[in-house]
Structure formats: C-alpha cells, structure tokens
Amino acid sequence: MNSREKRIEWFEKARFGMFIHWGLYAIPARGEWVRSFEKISNEEYEKYFHEFDPVDYDPQSWARLAREAGMKYAVITTKHHDGFCLFDSKLTDYKAPNTPAGRDLIAEFVEAFRAEGLKIGFYHSLIDWHHPDYPAYGDANHPLRDNEEFKDKEHNFDHYLDYMHGQVKELLTNYGKIDIMWFDFSYDDMSGETWRASELVKRTHELQPDIIIDNRLGGDIKKEDPEIYAGDFASPEKIIPPEGVVDEKGEHVPWEACITLNNNWGYCAADNDYKSPRQVVRALVECVSKNGNMLLNVGPDARGRIPEQSRSILKEVGRWMAENGDSIYGCQGAELPKPEWGRYTRKGDRLYAHIMERGIGPVNFRKMGGKIEKARLLSDGSEKRVHRPWNAAEFEEDAFVEFSSARLPDRKDTVVELYLK
Ligand code: GLC
C-alpha cells in the first residue's frame, strides 16, 4: 500500500464527483430506503427483481453528463442495503444478470466512465437486507426488524461476512483499476471489527494498492493514531462541515461531502425539491474553500435515465465550471477570514475571489492592501482594476477592486483571479 498522502493526491485536486444510487428501488420510486421504511417483505420486494429492465440505460450519456458538469470521478452503488447487485457476482443470484436487464451493468458503467476520463469508485453496502445471514429481527434498520416470524431464525454472521468480503474481492479484481472504495455504513455495534474491517482493508489494498477508502467501516479518522480501517477521507452526509475536517492535532483530514440534488439518493418520483444550479455551485465552492470535495448525487429511474431536472442542473453547473474550473481544481482554502461578499479558494500564488454578493461600491479585500499584483475576471481574462478610490483613502490596509456595474456578471458566483505579489 502506498502512503495516504500519495494515494489521495488526485482526489484532493479533483474536488467534484458524481454519486449514483441505482437499483431495484428505482421501480417503487420512493427512495433507496423504501424496503426498510415500509417494512416490505422479501416476497413483496421480489417482484421488482423480476421486473427490472432499464431499457434506456446508456452509461455513455451518464459519463458525458458527468464530464460536462466538470466532475472528475464517479461513485456508483454496486450493491445497496437491499442487497441487490448491479454487477455479475458469482456469489449470489440476486444480481442484474438474472433480471430482465440480463447483464453486468457495472461492467458497462466502468467502461463508459473510464472512456470519458473519469476515475471510478464503488459504493458497496456493508448492510444487506436480502442475505439470510444478515441479522434481521431486532436489527435497527432491517425491513423485518419487528417481524416475529424471524425472531428465532438462526443465522451465521460469519457466512455473511465471507460473502461480503468475497464480493469486494470480485469488485476489486474483475474491473481493472478502481480508484475509490466507498463502504456504507456502520451503526451500533455493527462497526469496525464486526465487519472484520482490518482484514477487509488489508485485502482491499493488496488488490488495489492505490485505492482510497471512505471512513464508514468504523473507527475514528480524527484520532491521533487511527485504526487501519478508519479510512482515507471523511464523508459528511448532506452537510458541509462548518470548519472543514481536522484531526485531534488540528491537521487537515481529507473529506468529501456527499450531497443529494433533491432530498433522496435513490430515484424518488414525487421528490421535486431540487437545489438550484446556483446553490450547487456555491456548495461546491464552499467545500473547496474548506479543503473538501463534493460528491453530488443522481438517482437514475427504472428505465435507466437520469431525471431531466438533474440533467438540466448539471448542465448549468457545467457551464459555470467550464469558465471557472481553475478556481476549483487543485484548489484549497485560502487561510483568510471569510470575506463579506463570498468565499476564497487558492492555488499557489493565485487567490480566487468568489463574489456572490455585489454589495455597494468597490469590492473590499480586507487586509489585502499592497498584496495584489493584478486582478482578472476568471471567465474571460478581462482586467479588474485594483486601486484605492478617493472614498476608500482611510482604509489603508485593504485592497479594492473596481466593479463598474451595479450587478455581478455571474449571479451564481463571479470569480476574480487575484495574482498575489
Ligand atoms: C446513508 C444511507 C444511504 C446513502 C448514503 C449516502 O448511509 O443509508 O441510503 O446511500 O448514506 O451517503
């Protein structure tokens, strides 16, 4: 295994990825937890297995969309909590090749995304509501958690772990180079060595020496001496941590906020509560300004299509990224206080001012007086005058950038590239 610093370098430059939650739950279309929330029995859920036939599945178009949005990697659910596998596992019949889909959907995904130059991540659920050796009755989340018929049912958890470990081996053996392994998730005492996590992580690194792993096998990534399974990056969910993520010593911990576009991961037909492209751009900028990444989710439907709303948001985000990507890729926080008008990102001697609030008069750069060599609008390279107007004469420690118009050219986020002295 190579050092974390080396393995994670590309990831911290990439900053923006696509999360894809897809499986049988796209048919009931009430989110990927539907089996648990509605306590659906095995028999009842089985009908979706016999029906799953995503005739419009076109991973090339997904990959193109991701690339055009400015994303550099993608993480797809190989198996979610319902236990259904999109890949051709030799260890189960509960897989896409045995549905009307009739083939390994992950193989096609990997090929298409690689062809667009994106790195590949596999989300694999530690939890399994289909496997007979996964605890059901009395479990916190299992659809059969309070079904008395399962009360005395014997199960052998080690069998399940052999199965889960075996599937991870398949995923890391049969699809070429895999860049990210995204395990999900630990709860109560289902955590750490309960998953035989050290063994799993060692095996993962043997098979894929450059891979990076999320932090959901358990352990504490922020500890001074974290467990071997504590992960390479933190994975805050549906939230951007107020101060980024640091360890006990105050040192930077790589992190990635996973964010839904509406409120669900898996396809949810009734959920139209989508974030605006502007919110998405600003959220991404916020992540980078705090030294993190954003993994933005789409939930393809039962036909295999990414919902139209999601596509149109991503396209608009992509237009912004095409002009302003230099302020995202390879960037980090600026170690300056958050400015009143927006946020900073930085790359070497370039400081990117993400101006989101126009305010009144020249834009103020607190305590930056004498430090800025020149300023250019990132989207077209045009000059922005750095000078101290007469009415700012008394604010000597600050720098000012002239904005002639009362309105910002880009209402999502106008980026000014500052060349530092
Ligand atoms: C959660 C949920 C899940 C989703 C994931 C994404 O743990 O169980 O449905 O896949 O996180 O972060």
Side-chain angles (χ1 to χ4, degrees):
M1 164 173 74
N2 300 320
S3 74
R4 180 214 268 176
E5 247 169 51
K6 258 193 91 185
R7 285 179 293 118
I8 203 120
E9 206 183 317
W10 71 266
F11 179 75
E12 296 210 280
K13 290 202 169 116
R15 290 303 185 211
F16 191 26
M18 176 182 270
F19 212 175
I20 302 165
H21 278 71
W22 196 38
L24 299 181
Y25 42 78
I27 303 174
R30 296 190 292 278
E32 78 291 350
W33 271 72
V34 64
R35 251 213 87 174
S36 171
F37 288 161
E38 300 180 15
K39 300 183 184 169
I40 301 177
S41 68
N42 293 338
E43 301 71 45
E44 225 181 304
Y45 201 69
E46 190 69 9
K47 62 175 185 266
Y48 305 126
F49 178 76
H50 296 292
E51 193 183 321
F52 188 65
D53 190 14
V55 288
D56 295 330
Y57 178 46
D58 174 16
Q60 282 93 346
S61 73
W62 294 8
R64 221 174 303 124
L65 180 68
R67 181 177 52 73
E68 284 170 6
M71 293 157 160
K72 298 289 189 195
Y73 61 100
V75 180
I76 190 168
T77 50
T78 47
K79 176 191 88 167
H80 204 265
H81 308 333
D82 66 358
F84 174 69
C85 299
L86 286 175
F87 68 109
D88 189 6
S89 171
K90 298 288 173 272
L91 305 174
T92 184
D93 292 331
Y94 201 49
K95 57 182 177 182
N98 294 342
T99 66
R103 63 203 199 276
D104 185 330
L105 301 170
I106 293 297
E108 292 174 21
F109 167 87
V110 169
E111 195 188 335
F113 276 69
R114 261 198 212 122
E116 290 290 340
L118 287 118
K119 301 239 187 217
I120 308 291
F122 286 158
Y123 167 110
H124 200 69
S125 177
L126 301 166
I127 298 165
D128 196 312
W129 299 329
H130 181 81
H131 199 284
D133 288 309
Y134 196 90
Y137 187 84
D139 177 69
N141 310 306
H142 199 289
L144 307 172
R145 57 193 171 274
D146 49 17
N147 186 324
E148 298 286 330
E149 279 172 40
F150 285 77
K151 193 167 182 176
D152 302 312
K153 204 184 147 278
E154 302 264 310
H155 71 273
N156 182 335
F157 191 57
D158 253 316
H159 282 172
Y160 171 67
L161 291 180
D162 292 342
Y163 168 76
M164 189 264 282
H165 284 223
Q167 287 203 321
V168 171
K169 184 176 176 195
E170 291 181 317
L171 289 166
L172 299 180
T173 308
N174 299 339
Y175 301 90
K177 184 165 195 225
I178 303 306
D179 304 289
I180 304 172
M181 195 67 217
W182 225 99
F183 294 113
D184 192 43
F185 64 78
S186 297
Y187 58 103
D188 307 336
D189 50 5
M190 306 295 274
S191 182
E193 294 304 2
T194 304
W195 306 118
R196 301 201 316 241
S198 299
E199 181 194 329
L200 188 60
V201 165
K202 276 186 207 143
R203 169 55 63 84
T204 298
H205 282 301
E206 268 161 36
L207 296 169
Q208 300 275 349
D210 293 326
I211 206 166
I212 52 172
I213 307 178
D214 72 337
N215 69 333
R216 295 193 180 181
L217 275 168
D220 181 359
I221 196 173
K222 295 189 196 168
K223 268 205 309 222
E224 189 163 349
D225 193 12
E227 300 81 354
I228 123 157
Y229 53 80
D232 297 310
F233 63 91
S235 56
E237 179 169 328
K238 293 185 171 178
I239 193 167
I240 300 173
E243 310 263 2
V245 183
V246 292
D247 64 17
E248 280 173 352
K249 289 178 285 175
E251 271 163 38
H252 164 67
V253 173
W255 60 272
E256 169 190 72
C258 49
I259 306 289
T260 48
L261 263 177
N262 49 8
N263 295 308
N264 282 271
W265 300 101
Y267 181 63
C268 183
D271 179 359
N272 285 304
D273 188 20
Y274 283 89
K275 293 157 188 76
S276 68
R278 179 204 276 192
Q279 277 177 297
V280 171
V281 164
R282 292 182 177 190
L284 175 60
V285 169
E286 181 175 349
C287 289
V288 179
S289 79
K290 296 174 178 176
N291 301 312
N293 287 23
M294 183 163 81
L295 185 65
L296 186 63
N297 184 73
V298 295
D301 65 21
R303 298 181 60 96
R305 295 172 72 88
I306 294 175
E308 165 53 28
Q309 295 101 315
S310 302
R311 279 186 277 142
S312 100
I313 298 164
L314 291 185
K315 282 182 186 156
E316 203 166 326
V317 170
R319 281 192 280 277
W320 185 88
M321 286 293 281
E323 291 184 339
N324 298 291
D326 283 353
S327 67
I328 299 292
Y329 306 125
C331 289
Q332 56 190 58
E335 282 166 30
L336 291 167
K338 181 186 171 319
E340 279 184 283
W341 36 256
R343 297 183 186 279
Y344 283 124
T345 58
R346 186 177 67 88
K347 180 162 50 196
D349 63 353
R350 299 293 164 83
L351 184 63
Y352 297 98
H354 297 262
I355 304 172
M356 300 164 188
E357 301 292 334
R358 169 67 183 87
I360 298 289
V363 177
N364 175 300
F365 291 83
R366 282 291 284 149
K367 312 249 164 119
M368 293 296 288
K371 295 186 181 160
I372 301 173
E373 160 112 23
K374 61 178 185 177
R376 299 286 180 264
L377 193 68
L378 183 58
S379 61
D380 67 358
S382 61
E383 176 174 43
K384 287 273 144 213
R385 276 183 73 208
V386 185
H387 77 143
R388 190 182 319 284
W390 64 271
N391 53 354
E394 66 189 286
F395 309 114
E396 275 179 7
E397 26 169 47
D398 299 350
F400 293 86
V401 170
E402 195 77 17
F403 263 86
S404 48
S405 150
R407 252 193 237 139
L408 290 168
D410 190 327
R411 307 280 285 277
K412 286 187 209 52
D413 171 11
T414 294
V415 185
V416 175
E417 184 174 31
L418 304 168
Y419 295 64
L420 299 181
K421 278 186 186 157

